[in-house]
């Protein structure tokens, strides 16, 4: 059953709120599928704008609660030291009114989501601690510039704020990872899992495991293997297209010649046949 069909079944069996949620889920799935087929610039721009809008809304809501705190802060005195003035500016940046907080949160979430999207697209759907830290560094640096927390030393404080954001995000990522370590078996399917996540097909991970479609089998996937794993036609097409594009990437980038690429595929196929024979 396709995602659209599942959504319609859910809509038919629930109340108005369930129907709205199911419809939004269906639209979100279709938009993500469409974006994955677009050039990287289009996807990154769309994700950045969408995330910035969400962050701006959250920031405006938070700013409505903190605007009284910002209003009660005294203005910077003429003889105030640069360090004290910078600290005061930082406090105002985090306790400003709705407009200021909307701007700050829009910048942080938009830049973070845009960099994450770009890195995942360039790295074949991989999202790890490096991706998380680079995105956090970018969002922190841009936040420092836009909010003015850096004072007169814009470049230096953008760098330090970016590093601070990256370290915090990296630490959070590692802590979360330590509490959710996958079973040893899952290590055999890490690339397959990343691929399915990037395609929005996470629910077929169990099909890959039942069919023993480990990471080493990814270059050898074909329609029959996916059909035997009980994966429907639509997702099969998306998976095969993703595998084909990843195999051709080194050729397009000039890292491999066509002859070298064909030789690698031939070697992989012969190894697969020998393993099957054994």
């Amino acid at each position: 059953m396709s995602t659209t069909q599942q959504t319609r079944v859910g809509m038919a069996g629930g109340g108005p709120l369930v129907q709205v949620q199911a419809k939004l889920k269906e639209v979100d799935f279709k938009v993500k599928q469409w974006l994955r087929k677009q050039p990287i610039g289009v996807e990154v721009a769309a994700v950045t704008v969408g995330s910035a809008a969400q962050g701006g809304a959250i920031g405006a809501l938070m700013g409505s609660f903190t605007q009284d705190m910002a209003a009660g802060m005294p203005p910077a005195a003429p003889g105030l030291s640069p360090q004290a003035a910078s600290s005061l500016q930082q406090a105002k940046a985090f306790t400003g009114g709705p407009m200021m907080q909307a701007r700050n949160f829009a910048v942080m979430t938009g830049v973070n989501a845009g960099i994450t999207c770009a890195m995942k697209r360039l790295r074949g759907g991989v999202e790890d601690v490096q991706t998380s830290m680079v995105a956090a560094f970018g969002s922190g640096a841009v936040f420092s510039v836009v909010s003015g927390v850096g004072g007169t030393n814009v470049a230096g404080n953008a760098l330090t704020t970016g590093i601070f954001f990256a370290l915090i995000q990296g630490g959070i990522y590692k802590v979360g990872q330590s509490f959710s370590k996958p079973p040893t078996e899952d290590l055999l399917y890490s690339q397959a899992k990343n691929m399915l996540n990037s395609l929005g097909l996470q629910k077929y991970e169990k099909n890959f495991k039942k069919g023993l479609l480990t990471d080493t089998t990814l270059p050898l996937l074909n329609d029959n293997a996916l059909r035997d794993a009980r994966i429907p036609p639509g997702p099969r097409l998306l998976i095969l297209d993703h595998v084909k594009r990843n195999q051709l990437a080194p050729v397009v980038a000039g890292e491999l010649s066509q002859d070298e690429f064909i030789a690698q595929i031939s070697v992989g196929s012969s190894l697969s046949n020998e393993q099957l024979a054994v």
Side-chain angles (χ1 to χ4, degrees):
M1 184 182 294
S2 66
T3 302
T4 303
Q5 290 174 329
Q6 291 176 347
T7 302
R8 288 173 180 169
V9 170
M11 290 174 63
L17 181 59
V18 174
Q19 293 181 14
V20 171
Q21 291 175 338
K23 188 63 179 177
L24 290 175
K25 184 177 180 181
E26 180 182 354
V27 172
D28 180 66
F29 176 80
K30 289 181 177 180
V31 170
K32 288 180 178 178
Q33 289 296 101
W34 178 81
L35 285 174
R36 290 191 184 98
K37 299 176 182 178
Q38 307 308 310
I40 183 172
V42 174
E43 183 180 10
V44 171
V47 170
T48 300
V49 171
S51 298
Q54 294 178 11
I58 295 172
L61 180 62
M62 293 184 62
S64 63
F65 297 107
T66 60
Q67 59 182 343
D68 292 337
M69 296 173 59
M73 288 187 177
L80 202 62
S81 66
Q83 293 82 1
S86 178
S87 299
L88 182 61
Q89 184 64 29
Q90 290 176 9
K92 288 184 176 180
F94 288 103
T95 59
M99 293 301 296
M100 180 181 293
Q101 294 288 52
R103 179 199 63 191
N104 293 343
F105 273 79
V107 166
M108 287 190 291
T109 57
V111 172
N112 191 293
I115 294 176
T116 300
C117 176
M119 291 191 65
K120 285 178 64 177
R121 185 79 174 259
L122 293 172
R123 302 176 69 196
V126 176
E127 185 175 4
D128 52 16
V129 66
Q130 286 87 355
T131 299
S132 181
M133 291 183 70
V134 170
F137 174 85
S139 63
V142 176
F143 165 75
S144 175
V145 174
V146 172
S147 63
V149 297
T152 56
N153 187 11
V154 177
N157 281 281
L159 180 63
T160 55
T161 303
I163 293 174
F164 175 74
F165 272 51
L167 292 175
I168 293 297
Q169 186 64 31
I172 293 174
Y173 187 96
K174 284 296 186 181
V175 170
Q177 200 175 41
S178 65
F179 284 102
S180 59
K181 286 186 176 179
T184 305
E185 179 194 67
D186 287 353
L187 298 177
L188 300 174
Y189 301 91
S190 59
Q191 294 180 21
K193 183 177 180 180
N194 287 332
M195 175 187 68
L196 294 174
N197 287 339
S198 68
L199 296 173
L201 302 175
Q202 300 92 324
K203 67 178 181 179
Y204 296 111
E205 183 182 345
K206 63 180 182 297
N207 299 69
F208 269 65
K209 292 181 179 179
K210 289 180 180 179
L212 299 181
L213 299 177
T214 61
D215 291 345
T216 56
T217 68
L218 293 183
L220 309 173
L221 284 182
N222 56 38
D223 190 72
N224 289 334
L226 294 174
R227 185 187 295 114
D228 290 342
R230 298 184 180 278
I231 297 176
R236 290 204 303 266
L237 291 174
L238 292 174
I239 292 169
L240 291 174
D241 177 67
H242 179 89
V243 171
K244 180 180 179 182
R245 284 189 285 108
N246 280 355
Q247 287 177 338
L248 290 176
V251 180
V252 175
E255 298 172 2
L256 287 177
S257 66
Q258 291 186 1
D259 292 338
E260 290 172 332
F261 171 72
I262 294 172
Q264 284 190 4
I265 297 299
S266 300
V267 171
S269 299
S270 64
L271 288 174
S272 177
N273 291 333
E274 290 174 5
Q275 291 169 350
L276 290 173
V278 172

